[in-house]
Amino acid sequence: MSFEKLVYFYKRKLGNWNLLHSFLTGWWKGFLLLSAFLIVALCAGIYFLPKEWLFGMIALFFILVIFFFYLMIYRTARKWIRMHYQLRNFKEILMLREYLFYAYLAQNGFETRDDLEKLKMFIISEGSSCSERRRPFLAPMLQVFIAALLAIMCGSFFFQLETILAKVITGGAIILSAVCIYWLLNGLMRLLAFSKSKRSRNAEELIRQIIRIQTALLVQENTTYHPYITMEKKVRENDFLTEMIFTKSFI
């Protein structure tokens, strides 16, 4: 359960929606309403106007959507982070998120690089499962089974053909079918792997972030440069961010 709480904090509490877009719900509602109006206008234009105007209407639709997104969401969000987080651009959001994650871990007992190394081992052990380790063998087994099934079903029929042309066409169709089935199974396996390995992907993302923090701490130990000092000051002056760090422990 502790691993899930840690993932929840990193993915939800430190997500863009919680840090930024949740404060812009009114602008998002306005943008979505305006987008719906543009979709209705596009459908009406396609139905009533000549077909020669189709490309122009679609191009105008995408131009207007992008323009209103920049005007209502992007520019508003940039103004928000300047006013409330004292950040110059969206790239600094990444540094802010990194510091918030480190401050949260330090608050819960993982302050040094050695402590974070122990946390990495914990995440690795919690982020994998036996079923995921067995899954890579599933796709080759299915591929061999399909190949054998095609050979059994098509072999006898293939050799009963009399003309060379019929054999060539049939053989090409069998090979094309095998290739299509292979790619279909391969795509299915990738889809299953993507859905079932969400826990592993979350663990890998957490580990990458912890490695970044360890690197920053190593730089701080060996030089006079303090990578988090600016973000620490900004967070200290923001009640919302400060409260986030002192949220309930994931342990």
Side-chain angles (χ1 to χ4, degrees), residues 2 5-10 13-14 97-111 116 119 213 235 241-251:
S2 56
K5 289 182 179 179
L6 180 59
V7 172
Y8 175 82
F9 176 82
Y10 182 74
K13 290 288 187 178
L14 301 184
R97 182 182 292 114
E98 182 177 319
Y99 171 73
L100 287 172
F101 189 49
Y102 168 64
Y104 175 73
L105 294 178
Q107 179 67 26
N108 288 280
F110 299 96
E111 186 173 4
L116 293 173
L119 180 61
I213 294 172
V235 170
L241 299 177
T242 303
E243 183 181 357
M244 186 183 302
I245 294 175
F246 291 94
T247 189
K248 186 177 180 181
S249 171
F250 68 89
I251 299 298

Side-chain angles (χ1 to χ4, degrees), residues 7-234:
V7 172
Y8 175 82
F9 176 82
Y10 182 74
K11 303 287 284 189
R12 298 295 180 87
K13 290 288 187 178
L14 301 184
N16 287 335
W17 177 259
N18 191 50
L19 288 178
L20 179 61
H21 295 300
S22 60
F23 300 102
L24 307 175
T25 52
W27 290 98
W28 272 106
K29 290 178 181 178
F31 171 73
L32 294 176
L33 183 63
L34 186 58
S35 299
F37 173 78
L38 291 176
I39 292 174
V40 173
L42 176 63
C43 294
I46 294 174
Y47 183 79
F48 290 107
L49 295 179
K51 300 301 180 183
E52 293 79 8
W53 294 17
L54 179 61
F55 178 78
M57 288 187 295
I58 295 176
L60 180 62
F61 168 77
F62 284 107
I63 290 173
L64 289 177
V65 169
I66 294 173
F67 172 74
F68 285 120
F69 178 83
Y70 172 81
L71 191 67
M72 302 177 67
I73 304 299
Y74 182 86
R75 196 176 69 168
T76 306
R78 186 173 59 184
K79 183 178 178 180
W80 170 268
I81 66 174
R82 287 178 178 176
M83 291 181 58
H84 297 271
Y85 295 152
Q86 288 78 48
L87 300 177
R88 293 171 295 180
N89 50 55
F90 291 109
K91 291 183 179 179
E92 291 191 353
I93 284 283
L94 300 177
M95 179 59 72
L96 176 65
R97 182 182 292 114
E98 182 177 319
Y99 171 73
L100 287 172
F101 189 49
Y102 168 64
Y104 175 73
L105 294 178
Q107 179 67 26
N108 288 280
F110 299 96
E111 186 173 4
T112 66
R113 290 191 294 115
D114 293 335
D115 295 333
L116 293 173
E117 190 66 30
K118 296 176 183 177
L119 180 61
K120 278 168 53 180
M121 300 304 297
F122 165 76
I123 293 174
I124 291 173
S125 64
E126 290 291 318
S128 61
S129 63
C130 296
S131 60
E132 290 177 357
R133 288 193 292 268
R134 288 196 300 264
R135 190 174 58 246
F137 295 99
L138 183 60
M141 290 174 59
L142 278 177
Q143 292 165 10
V144 171
F145 174 76
I146 293 298
L149 185 63
L150 282 174
I152 294 172
M153 294 178 60
C154 301
S156 59
F157 173 75
F158 179 79
F159 289 107
Q160 290 178 3
L161 298 175
E162 297 180 356
T163 63
I164 301 293
L165 180 61
K167 290 183 178 182
V168 171
I169 295 175
T170 304
I174 293 173
I175 294 174
L176 181 62
S177 301
V179 171
C180 292
I181 293 175
Y182 168 79
W183 285 112
L184 180 63
L185 287 175
N186 196 35
L188 180 61
M189 291 302 106
R190 288 178 180 272
L191 182 62
L192 292 175
F194 182 82
S195 61
K196 291 184 179 180
S197 64
K198 182 179 180 180
R199 188 180 182 90
S200 296
R201 288 185 284 108
N202 287 335
E204 292 174 359
E205 188 173 353
L206 289 175
I207 290 172
R208 284 195 298 270
Q209 191 63 52
I210 291 175
I211 291 174
R212 289 176 57 89
I213 294 172
Q214 287 179 312
T215 304
L217 294 179
L218 181 62
V219 172
Q220 181 175 325
E221 292 173 3
N222 293 277
T223 65
T224 58
Y225 174 66
H226 299 279
Y228 296 138
I229 189 170
T230 303
M231 292 301 166
E232 183 180 1
K233 181 181 178 180
K234 296 180 187 299

